[in-house]
Amino acid sequence: NAGVTQTPKFQVLKTGQSMTLQCAQDMNHNSMYWYRQDPGMGLRLIYYSASEGTTDKGEVPNGYNVSRLNKREFSLRLESAAPSQTSVYFCASSEFRVNTEAFFGQGTRLTVV
Amino acid sequence: GQQLNQSPQSMFIQEGEDVSMNCTSSSIFNTWLWYKQDPGEGPVLLIALYKAGELTSNGRLTAQFGITRKDSFLNISASIPSDVGIYFCAGQHNAGNMLTFGGGTRLMVKP
């Protein structure tokens, strides 16, 4: 049982480049989330998808877009990367919309130079 | 912005010692969660608390949901080297609301 799988694990981008972070879960969860983790800041919610076909902004959505491709997959896109987006990105999923007891992927470490 | 204050920010202890950490908030939460993050990994849920005053254990870990609903505590007894990592608290105001995470407590254990 893989749980939540994120790709890639590491990425270096130049300022202005675009990329998509992929996330897939095999637990048949309804809700999926994208967080970013910065030193001393804990995890901050970027976007979430309460159920297939819906997406909503979280705490720090600027500079990002998301797509809930199907129940399993939730992608995060950076259209024009900026150094301020250097961070570790985590995808998570949970069974219920309440976001309780979320299961996390292993993270994507992104550096924008 | 971040609403949870987690302390201490880091701890360096001797193997076998007990550990205490806590989270405080200026607002009420109805759910408290504690996660552990190992280096290079995503956070893993340790304990979930759903009722004020609730005390829940998971092996050597014990967490409490504060009576005021504005704080929570995590204790680790008889620490071992594999306890090393970052511990996060997370709170939820109401069902359907998103989780708010604390800044984390980095635990280091000296064998």
Side-chain angles (χ1 to χ4, degrees), chain B residues 58-84:
Chain B
N58 178 5
R60 292 177 297 104
L61 278 62
T62 301
Q64 183 160 25
F65 191 143
I67 289 291
T68 65
R69 296 178 180 269
K70 293 184 178 180
D71 55 14
S72 180
F73 307 88
L74 177 69
N75 295 314
I76 305 172
S77 62
S79 59
I80 59 178
S82 62
D83 290 334
V84 165

Side-chain angles (χ1 to χ4, degrees), chain A residues 9 33 35 37 40-43 45 48 59 90 97-107, chain B residues 1-2 31 33 35 37 40-43 45 48 50 88 92 95-99 101-103:
Chain A
K9 295 196 78 172
Y33 316 87
Y35 289 89
Q37 183 178 32
M41 297 290 291
L43 292 111
L45 184 65
Y48 67 100
E59 183 183 355
F90 287 99
R97 188 182 184 275
V98 299
N99 191 205
T100 306
E101 301 188 26
F103 292 82
F104 286 81
Q106 290 189 308
Chain B
Q2 187 175 306
T31 298
L33 306 173
Y35 284 86
Q37 184 178 26
E41 302 288 331
L45 182 67
Y50 299 103
F88 289 101
Q92 183 185 46
N97 294 146
M98 295 302 107
L99 290 177
F101 282 84

Side-chain angles (χ1 to χ4, degrees), chain A residues 5-79:
Chain A
T5 303
Q6 291 181 235
T7 55
K9 295 196 78 172
F10 301 94
Q11 183 71 48
V12 178
L13 290 178
K14 293 183 178 178
T15 298
Q17 285 186 318
S18 63
M19 79 160 296
T20 300
L21 280 63
Q22 307 286 352
C23 175
Q25 53 93 7
D26 61 3
M27 296 173 283
N28 202 36
H29 284 167
N30 288 309
S31 300
M32 297 184 73
Y33 316 87
W34 277 105
Y35 289 89
R36 61 178 287 173
Q37 183 178 32
D38 301 297
M41 297 290 291
L43 292 111
R44 293 182 292 170
L45 184 65
I46 305 171
Y47 268 94
Y48 67 100
S49 171
S51 60
E52 187 178 354
T54 69
T55 60
D56 287 286
K57 294 178 180 179
E59 183 183 355
V60 288
N62 292 343
Y64 306 95
N65 284 299
V66 291
S67 295
R68 183 73 182 267
L69 305 170
N70 47 56
K71 192 171 185 180
R72 291 186 64 248
E73 299 172 287
F74 188 39
S75 63
L76 177 72
R77 182 160 178 85
L78 286 71
E79 289 292 351

